[in-house]
Amino acid sequence: MSGRLNGKVAVITGGASGMGLAAVERFVEEGAAVVFCDLPPTSHSELAARLGEQQARMHHSRRTAGGPNDGYAIAQRLGNGATFVPADVTDPEALAAVVDQAVTRYGGLDIMFNNAGIGGAEGSIVDCPDDVWNRVVDVDLKAVWRGIKLAAPHIAARGGGSIISTASIAAIIGFPGLGAYGAAKAGVVELTRVAAVELGPQSIRVNCILPGGVVTPLIYDSPLFERALDPDAIRAALARSQPLPRAGEPLDIANAALWLASDESSFVTGQAIVVDGGMSIDARRGIPQDAFDQPPQ
Ligand SMILES: NC(=O)c1ccc[n+]([C@@H]2O[C@H](COP(=O)([O-])OP(=O)(O)OC[C@H]3O[C@@H](n4cnc5c(N)ncnc54)[C@H](O)[C@@H]3O)[C@@H](O)[C@H]2O)c1
């Protein structure tokens, strides 16, 4: 089988749901050995007992063992090419253990995909509690920094490779209610540039992806809502939110990550690649439709 990632070893964080899961599946399909992490598949009350209510409320409240975040079940389904290691990416030792697992189990590391993220329930800047700000920045920015820091020496030992992180178009346009999220994601974009300059001489490429609206539990099972929303209703709404008339799907992001992980992008580094169906470049955004409906003068 000739896959685009044959012989490569990858770590993917937040790999038990949404675009991380799509990337795990896609990378395995293309021949990579993948170690992926996610929070342990425990109940929300266990998460709250560990993190406190404020910080736990940033995570899906309908987490259940055997549910969408059960990495063990996903690894079993995918077979030998995938290994699940439960880890909270904000725990330095746990994240180090994920990276070490790739090196000890598969002999090295070529690709690090810092994808785990939370967002959506922080409130306005004025209302956002410190605990919520801290959790968002710890998961969405600090853990990305740590992922780069932990992975780079192993990737350098292989003679080079690729580091990818998931940012967001919230890094480049202002979404009300996403102050911590947008600041963290903008931090990821700049961290990407600095890392690309620092690690380029070791042939390590560092890029990030800025998704627009993508149909994942982060959107339809947001902690903002009392109940999970219907993914198809979200899909239909997102299809009307940008020039391209369909919603973003996890596979759109996984395919961008695949290209960045593969040798096909071997001269690309330090870039923030927007994958949003044109949402962020649509000048009509925010202009009421009826503004253009006036009769001719
Ligand atoms: N869905 C969108 O529209 C959208 C848009 C822009 C950016 N993003 C970003 O895409 C990335 C993936 O999100 P998604 O949309 O696939 O959502 P998702 O919720 O389906 O997947 C995110 C995964 O990360 C895991 N995770 C969260 N905190 C973690 C932690 N501390 N340790 C380990 N795992 C953790 C979650 O449990 C979940 O399985 C995130 O970084 C998110 O911010 C999403």
Side-chain angles (χ1 to χ4, degrees), residues 112-129:
M112 178 78 189
F113 186 12
N114 300 298
N115 166 76
I118 52 171
E122 60 185 84
S124 72
I125 291 171
V126 171
D127 297 330
C128 180

Side-chain angles (χ1 to χ4, degrees), residues 148-172:
I148 296 172
K149 187 179 163 83
L150 287 167
H154 294 294
I155 300 179
R158 299 274 265 198
S162 175
I163 298 176
I164 307 151
S165 306
T166 310
S168 166
I169 58 166
I172 54 170

